[in-house]
Amino acid sequence: MRASATSGDDAHLTAPWVDIKRFAVHDGPGIRTTLFLQGCTLRCPWCHNPETYEAKPRLAYAAHRCLHCGECVAACPRGCHTMVDGRHAFDRTRCAGCGQCVEPCLGSALRLYGRSITVAEAVAWLLEDRAFYTASGGGVTLSGGEPLVHADFCRAVLARIRAEGIDTAVDTCGHVPRHAVERVLPCADRFLYDLKAADSGLHSRLTGVDNQRILENLLFIAAAGKPVEVRMILVPDRNMAEADIRKAGELLRGVRTLTGVKLLAYHALARSKFAALGLPDTMPDVPSPDATALRRVADQLRSILPAGALVTF
Amino acid sequence: MFNTFSADRDHFAKKFSAPVFDPATGLDEAGLKARLEAVWAARGNRPHPVVKAELYACVADHVQIDVSPHDWYPGFGCWDRNRRPLMEYTGRWAAELEQAGLLFGESFRRFSEMGASRMWIDFDHSVPQWDDILELGFPGMLKRAELFRSLHKTRGTLTPETEAFFDGIRITLEASLRLIARLRDHARRTADGNPRVLAVAECLDRLLAGPPQTTYEALMFDWLVFFFGEHIDRTQVRSLGNLDRLLYPFFQRDVASGRYTEEQIREFVRYFLMQFAAIANYWGHPFYFGGTRADGSSEINPMSHLILDVFDDLGIMSPKLQIKVSPNTPRDFVDKALDMIRRGHSSIVFCNEPGMMRALIDGGATPDEARTCHISGCYEFGVYGKSNGTGPAHLNLPKLLELVFNDGADPRTGICHAAETRLSDVKSFEDFYAAYLTQVRFTVDRTIEAVNAFERYLHVINPTNVFSATCEYSLNSGRDAFSNGLKYNNTTILCIGIGTAVDALMAVREFVFDRPAVSLAGLKQALADNWAGAEKLRLRIRKSDHKHGNGDAGTDALLVRLANDLGRMINGRPNVRGGFFHASSHPARQFIELGKLTGATPDGRCAGDEFSKNMSPTPGMDRRGPTALIQSVTRVDSRVFPADFCLDLMLIPAAVSGEEGLAAMRGLLETYFSRHGLALNINVFDAAQLERAIEHPEEHEGLQVRVCGWNARFNDMVHPEKLAYVERAKNVSA
């Protein structure tokens, strides 16, 4: 039996999440709420959300916020937290991600990523700001990580949101099986589509995988008539040479439902997250591109894309 | 004559701080005081309106004056607001009443010492009926007042008091005309061929003869009425009016006739606005834009844009701008103002026209009175030309919690002027809340008694001759406009720190009764010790999500409950001026000043710290962004605070950049207004503010920054990242 998009059959589905951002104003039109799900199919070295890599609970410890109050010591059932000479020490190898230490932490230095959320809970949260969506032409965006790792969950959430007359968007890297895209296609009003590099070889060098599947999915979504905003992160010395941009422009010229290209300037502001998560810092040691560099890229893209194409940064 | 602003700007740096006057133009401050003393000594038993008018006339006839080639508007020797010459005499009349035991009673004094309720006699909130007086001019105002005197005679209502009322107005207006003549003559004498000084003289000459005919004359008239009322007649003129609507007919005539070009009018506006920038009162001087015509269309016009553009170019903080917003307000105008705010020119408040109408109609105003309401002060509103709202009392809501913990005694002063409640009787949160309401009720009741005691004498202490002369309603009633001469003579009780009070109540509920983590006695001790030895408890309380501004259902419900209880205690109670008391959530500066007099509170706030302001959260306690904050605040029906209801939003430049950022700001504004929020301030942090957030992270827990495709809490970032944001903010504001 085939379940309808809004049936209660999928209400039990869950997904691990890392954050829910209200008043998200750069994740699609208007004022939106963005739910960030955990789990990603890429490992971009400049990633700003390393807490989304693995789809499983992971404790972050922000040492700069720690008050060394010791409240976590008693709360932890596995002895991960200890006080040594009045200072807090954290042994990540013991941590199972139960999160029992988070609430007692007086400095809010501890945070658990990857708690599980049900479809019903997610929908309830995402509807809280519906008055703002109505006033601003906004809506709900699912992001990550790669949200389509949890395609059934996404479909269930988006279908319910859309049934309320609210705009829905999926922010995807596109590196997912076609059937995952197909699952959400009927329930997503628009896509925000990340493009790291148009050249497959360069993409492979940058992210470890080629972009064949990504480009196919992009064209598939466009062929289905869904509006697509392409988001290009620009990393100096990595993907913003003139030839890289030319190739991207030529590719995007063929995306007939392209609503705009948003250029995102790389910066290393998420570097502290790697430390807090106990992950090796992979962020490129390059400066953030300045306005002049961004303008150059934007102008180059505009010269390639159809007249009037919206390129912003 | 025109296009000299950059060269003239230095003139304004001194005009209201160190002006120099030609001694030949009048008496210096000491001489003027001596002359006023002579008038006072000769007052005999003449009624106060007449005596005050004679004192006014003395100032008008003898104060030093200046017409500068660097200015389009004259200067006066009584420029210092803190030393306005007639304050001495209104103070003496107040002292006479006080010596007779008529003015300030026990509650006034004891509440003041405790900081439980701070009261003063408020002469700071008059709004002239600008439409009428712009049509009449000074000679017409005098003629109108005399016509109403005749009318009272015909009606048989010309009592000695009414006669004195009209005498005071006549003497005042005649003196005003003499002062204008002095200014004109001085300008002519000293012009030395300077075309601008001669133009000033011509303008003044026309105002002596009749109502203003040009935009410049209208602005000059506005300036003179402001100065005569506020600086000479000692009554704050708390709105320069619906300036764009008022000026537009003059603008149209000037441009159509070729009298002035748009650029020349821009210069008149520029110099007019600079008067108030130069006065530089910390509270700013307001006027308002927009409104709705009887046919439902917007009052926003080309003059609205012109004034806004000039203000934007000047980059000044005063005057401050109030914009009436309704669905008919052109989007480009709202967007222009929003864009100014995000560029740091944020001396702008948006006021919800349908929301204000709803509140006014609920209070008895007709739909037409509500539609044409004025905005004054910060964002107070009232029926234009027919209302005068005073704000004489400030209720310290967090302090009243201290009284619950200390069985009615104020721990700082030891004074016990409160209801009898006992902490030992409190067995549940409902008991605690009931005890709190008992303290609130006691303080509200005594405050109302105290205010009524002194507001009975407003017209005795300070007959407001200039203000009354502007209001036909007052002339018709024959009573002082500031006291009881208008249709709506309301009194506002400002409720200070409602966000902090709700947070504190929620902390009692959560940590004493729900968890429980501490006993009432233990919490009382922690508060008495200003949290010394209880820092972990304080941090745990601070960290709790049950704080106002986060969309938390339990906290929002308590906010609504407390607001409704306050409304029931205050709204609609009669005052002695034939009007009613109204509740307000506006704190003025008292969220700081009363905070200094209040000990630690259960929400984790330390002794002496400031409270929440307006309907906003305690600093740093809203953590879920502006949408959650708006939802929390608008769960309260704004009609509960019919005097005003304002929210302060804090955003960062990255969140409001570009077209989508502007649309987001508009979305917040429209949603807040659709839920009947009445006034909205928006702050967009600049680099300096972010630097302060680094120094005081505890006050900026809710500050969000846009990282790339998402927002992050500023406090979650490490220091170098924060510094990067400071640099970004510098770039944005550059």
Side-chain angles (χ1 to χ4, degrees):
Chain A
M1 187 174 71
R2 188 173 174 182
S4 74
T6 56
S7 80
D9 298 348
D10 48 12
H12 65 283
L13 293 174
T14 63
W17 65 286
V18 297
D19 206 355
I20 185 161
K21 293 295 185 194
R22 299 165 74 169
F23 192 57
V25 294
H26 298 281
D27 294 338
I31 295 174
R32 309 185 76 83
T33 300
T34 302
L35 174 62
F36 293 86
L37 298 175
Q38 204 183 37
C40 191
T41 53
L42 297 179
R43 287 293 180 272
C44 307
W46 55 76
C47 182
H48 291 99
N49 295 332
E51 70 275 21
T52 65
Y53 281 175
E54 301 291 341
K56 65 178 185 184
R58 188 173 184 93
L59 188 71
Y61 166 57
H64 66 286
R65 291 188 66 104
C66 183
L67 302 175
H68 307 281
C69 64
E71 295 291 300
C72 52
V73 176
C76 178
R78 298 172 69 92
C80 304
H81 302 284
T82 53
M83 293 297 288
V84 180
D85 296 332
R87 296 189 66 79
H88 169 249
F90 174 50
D91 181 358
R92 182 175 291 282
T93 62
R94 290 169 174 259
C95 181
C98 71
Q100 291 185 46
C101 56
V102 172
E103 200 276 335
C105 174
L106 295 179
S108 300
L110 297 169
R111 181 170 179 177
L112 185 69
Y113 292 109
R115 292 185 194 272
S116 188
I117 188 172
T118 67
V119 169
E121 288 168 336
V123 169
W125 283 3
L126 293 167
L127 289 178
E128 279 191 21
D129 282 350
R130 62 185 307 160
F132 297 89
Y133 313 151
T134 305
S136 68
V140 162
T141 300
L142 298 185
S143 183
E146 172 46 60
L148 298 186
V149 168
H150 313 283
D152 289 342
F153 175 88
C154 290
R155 176 189 171 92
V157 170
L158 294 175
R160 284 164 173 76
I161 298 292
R162 200 158 186 261
E164 297 288 331
I166 293 168
D167 184 86
T168 56
V170 174
D171 181 4
T172 178
C173 74
H175 190 61
V176 291
R178 171 65 53 81
H179 65 78
V181 177
E182 289 172 338
R183 289 293 287 159
V184 298
L185 203 59
C187 316
D189 289 309
R190 66 191 67 251
F191 284 79
L192 312 177
Y193 209 94
D194 300 346
L195 181 65
K196 325 289 183 185
D199 181 82
S200 195
L202 175 62
H203 196 280
S204 189
R205 287 195 297 281
L206 291 173
T207 69
V209 296
D210 66 43
N211 65 7
Q212 183 181 348
R213 177 188 266 182
I214 293 169
L215 301 189
E216 287 173 359
N217 280 334
L218 174 59
L219 296 174
F220 174 74
I221 290 168
K226 294 291 182 182
V228 178
E229 178 189 282
V230 167
R231 294 143 75 98
M232 296 172 60
I233 184 153
L234 299 177
V235 188
D237 304 333
R238 300 294 191 279
N239 67 351
M240 54 187 298
E242 194 173 340
D244 303 332
I245 301 305
R246 186 172 59 250
K247 192 147 191 175
E250 287 165 356
L251 167 74
L252 297 179
R253 201 164 49 192
V255 179
R256 64 183 179 83
T257 58
L258 186 72
T259 59
V261 179
K262 181 171 284 186
L263 306 180
L264 308 174
Y266 164 78
H267 53 72
L269 292 177
R271 200 181 286 280
S272 65
K273 279 190 180 178
F274 285 88
L277 291 160
L279 294 171
D281 181 356
T282 60
M283 301 206 84
D285 193 14
V286 293
S288 184
D290 60 17
T292 305
L294 294 173
R295 196 168 297 116
R296 174 189 63 78
V297 173
D299 288 344
Q300 189 184 352
L301 283 172
R302 288 186 191 114
S303 72
I304 301 169
L305 294 172
L310 194 62
V311 182
T312 56
F313 59 88
Chain B
M1 174 157 78
F2 290 95
N3 302 318
T4 61
F5 181 68
S6 55
D8 293 337
R9 196 151 186 163
D10 282 352
H11 161 78
F12 292 105
K14 295 177 187 158
K15 184 166 183 179
F16 289 92
S17 59
V20 177
F21 293 91
D22 177 355
T25 62
L27 298 173
D28 63 12
E29 188 175 355
L32 189 59
K33 275 186 178 174
R35 185 68 68 111
L36 284 166
E37 282 300 314
V39 173
W40 176 259
R43 71 189 182 285
N45 289 323
R46 289 197 297 285
H48 288 199
V50 172
V51 175
K52 188 176 174 219
E54 288 169 348
L55 292 163
Y56 177 100
C58 177
V59 176
D61 291 338
H62 299 289
V63 70
Q64 292 180 341
I65 54 176
D66 181 52
V67 177
S68 167
H70 298 290
D71 202 345
W72 282 100
Y73 304 92
F76 303 87
C78 50
W79 54 271
D80 187 344
R81 189 180 184 281
N82 295 318
R83 297 193 297 185
R84 288 173 290 171
L86 266 54
M87 288 173 76
E88 169 67 22
Y89 305 98
T90 57
R92 288 182 190 177
W93 279 322
E96 284 175 8
L97 289 165
E98 175 59 358
Q99 279 165 14
L102 296 172
L103 217 51
F104 306 126
E106 181 189 19
S107 290
F108 182 95
R109 275 187 286 273
R110 302 186 90 179
F111 282 156
S112 179
E113 285 180 58
M114 295 161 70
S117 173
R118 176 167 280 177
M119 292 171 259
W120 60 71
I121 304 172
D122 174 32
F123 288 115
D124 291 344
H125 289 86
S126 76
V127 181
Q129 216 293 8
W130 291 105
D131 287 72
D132 285 356
I133 61 176
L134 275 164
E135 279 189 23
L136 293 167
F138 287 106
M141 289 168 69
L142 180 57
K143 193 173 173 186
R144 179 177 71 167
E146 290 304 303
L147 279 172
F148 271 98
R149 184 204 295 263
S150 304
L151 189 62
H152 277 278
K153 194 169 183 179
T154 307
R155 285 180 191 156
T157 53
L158 194 63
T159 63
E161 290 77 19
T162 317
E163 189 90 62
F165 169 78
F166 283 107
D167 283 347
I169 288 173
R170 178 183 50 76
I171 295 166
T172 298
L173 290 175
E174 286 174 348
S176 300
L177 285 164
R178 290 199 300 276
L179 176 51
I180 295 169
R182 285 179 62 211
L183 288 163
R184 176 201 59 191
D185 296 345
H186 174 66
R188 284 176 176 166
R189 267 199 310 275
T190 58
D192 195 21
N194 184 293
R196 180 184 286 171
V197 175
L198 289 170
V200 172
E202 183 195 344
C203 174
L204 294 165
D205 191 54
R206 291 171 66 95
L207 292 182
L208 279 170
Q213 300 294 320
T214 68
T215 313
Y216 173 44
E217 288 167 19
L219 286 164
M220 176 70 89
F221 180 81
D222 200 314
W223 167 242
L224 294 175
V225 171
F226 158 78
F227 203 92
F228 293 173
E230 180 147 335
H231 281 252
I232 304 181
D233 206 32
R234 194 252 179 269
T235 308
Q236 197 165 349
V237 178
R238 210 64 177 108
S239 175
L240 301 171
N242 195 174
L243 212 55
D244 54 345
R245 180 180 60 76
L246 291 167
L247 292 178
Y248 189 48
F250 296 98
F251 170 87
Q252 285 177 300
R253 272 205 302 272
D254 284 347
V255 174
S257 68
R259 180 73 174 84
Y260 293 118
T261 66
E262 186 173 325
E263 192 48 45
Q264 288 169 337
I265 291 171
R266 200 176 288 271
E267 175 145 320
F268 295 134
V269 171
R270 187 176 296 122
Y271 281 71
F272 177 77
L273 298 182
M274 280 305 296
Q275 308 302 315
F276 303 94
I279 291 173
N281 291 327
Y282 79 83
W283 54 83
H285 214 87
F287 62 87
Y288 58 101
F289 289 87
T292 294
R293 299 188 184 110
D295 66 4
S297 61
S298 173
E299 292 283 8
I300 295 295
N301 59 51
M303 196 69 194
S304 316
H305 287 272
L306 185 152
I307 297 170
L308 200 59
D309 288 341
V310 170
F311 182 83
D312 194 14
D313 288 343
L314 289 172
I316 52 181
M317 291 191 296
S318 180
K320 58 185 181 184
L321 317 184
Q322 301 149 331
I323 300 176
K324 281 188 174 182
V325 178
S326 74
N328 65 32
T329 311
R331 175 174 282 191
D332 64 337
F333 190 75
V334 174
D335 282 357
K336 184 181 282 188
L338 288 169
D339 181 53
M340 286 169 62
I341 289 172
R342 66 180 178 173
R343 288 187 282 106
H345 292 193
S346 57
S347 194
I348 296 173
V349 61
F350 296 98
C351 298
N352 178 9
E353 195 177 0
M356 293 188 295
M357 287 179 66
R358 178 173 170 265
L360 284 167
I361 290 169
D362 196 55
T366 67
D368 232 34
E369 288 174 339
R371 176 180 61 78
T372 56
C373 73
H374 67 237
I375 305 170
S376 68
C378 292
Y379 24 75
E380 302 89 295
F381 53 96
V383 174
Y384 177 49
K386 298 179 187 171
S387 73
N388 185 54
T390 59
H394 306 75
L395 188 69
N396 182 344
L397 294 173
K399 163 67 74 178
L400 304 182
L401 276 162
E402 269 195 297
L403 301 184
V404 176
F405 275 99
N406 294 282
D407 296 346
D410 174 43
R412 189 179 60 82
T413 60
I415 294 173
C416 189
H417 187 62
E420 286 187 21
T421 58
R422 293 194 176 282
L423 195 65
S424 56
D425 293 341
V426 171
K427 305 299 180 196
S428 65
F429 176 72
E430 286 304 313
D431 288 348
F432 187 90
Y433 186 75
Y436 180 60
L437 279 195
T438 302
Q439 293 298 349
V440 175
R441 191 173 293 109
F442 178 95
T443 311
V444 167
D445 289 349
R446 300 304 187 282
T447 295
I448 284 175
E449 285 174 18
V451 168
N452 275 336
F454 63 74
E455 286 216 330
R456 191 183 304 276
Y457 300 106
L458 290 181
H459 60 291
V460 177
I461 297 167
N462 184 16
T464 57
N465 293 321
V466 170
F467 177 40
S468 295
T470 72
C471 297
E472 185 174 308
Y473 202 96
S474 173
L475 299 171
N476 191 44
S477 73
R479 296 188 299 269
D480 190 87
F482 202 92
S483 179
N484 61 351
L486 297 178
K487 184 176 179 184
Y488 306 98
N489 309 299
N490 295 329
T491 303
T492 298
I493 294 184
L494 295 81
C495 301
I496 315 299
I498 190 168
T500 299
V502 166
D503 289 354
L505 286 163
M506 285 302 293
V508 171
R509 171 186 273 176
E510 181 184 2
F511 289 89
V512 176
F513 296 106
D514 289 353
R515 288 195 174 191
V518 62
S519 66
L520 261 185
L523 184 55
K524 176 184 174 181
Q525 191 60 50
L527 298 178
D529 296 339
N530 197 20
W531 302 103
E535 183 60 11
K536 282 191 177 180
L537 175 63
R538 190 182 85 84
L539 290 170
R540 194 165 289 127
I541 290 172
R542 294 273 293 179
K543 192 184 170 191
S544 168
D545 287 336
H546 300 304
K547 298 289 189 298
H548 169 49
N550 295 294
D552 175 66
T555 313
D556 291 352
L558 188 63
L559 172 73
V560 170
R561 184 179 179 186
L562 179 57
N564 289 340
D565 284 330
L566 284 166
R568 275 191 288 272
M569 285 183 210
I570 296 170
N571 292 325
R573 293 179 65 169
N575 65 14
V576 287
R577 300 187 288 122
F580 299 96
F581 281 89
H582 280 163
S584 153
S585 60
H586 174 201
R589 280 181 55 81
Q590 296 306 310
F591 71 105
I592 297 170
E593 300 302 327
L594 292 176
K596 291 176 187 170
L597 304 180
T598 305
T601 42
D603 56 316
R605 174 187 153 278
C606 293
D609 285 354
E610 69 183 51
F611 303 144
S612 60
K613 61 179 174 179
N614 292 313
M615 291 303 296
S616 306
T618 302
M621 287 298 103
D622 56 322
R623 302 160 180 146
R624 293 186 183 162
T627 57
L629 174 55
I630 287 173
Q631 290 199 7
S632 284
V633 168
T634 55
R635 290 211 165 94
V636 176
D637 186 332
S638 56
R639 290 175 296 188
V640 170
F641 294 107
D644 53 50
F645 182 98
C646 183
L647 172 65
D648 311 86
L649 277 187
M650 293 185 184
L651 305 170
I652 63 125
V656 296
S657 63
E659 282 303 310
E660 54 198 7
L662 200 62
M665 292 173 83
R666 196 189 314 118
L668 293 175
L669 179 76
E670 289 176 1
T671 308
Y672 174 66
F673 282 178
S674 73
R675 298 161 76 99
H676 308 303
L678 298 187
L680 186 69
N681 290 320
I682 304 175
N683 281 299
V684 178
F685 280 97
D686 62 16
Q689 287 169 308
L690 290 175
E691 283 165 342
R692 280 197 294 280
I694 291 173
E695 285 177 22
H696 301 289
E698 73 283 358
E699 292 176 9
H700 297 84
E701 283 289 344
L703 178 59
Q704 292 185 26
V705 293
R706 188 75 189 168
V707 179
C708 187
W710 71 96
N711 287 19
R713 287 204 309 161
F714 193 70
N715 284 357
D716 283 341
M717 302 183 144
V718 293
H719 194 62
E721 294 168 359
K722 290 177 178 175
L723 290 179
Y725 264 89
V726 172
E727 289 306 308
R728 268 194 173 187
K730 283 179 180 169
N731 287 338
V732 168
S733 54

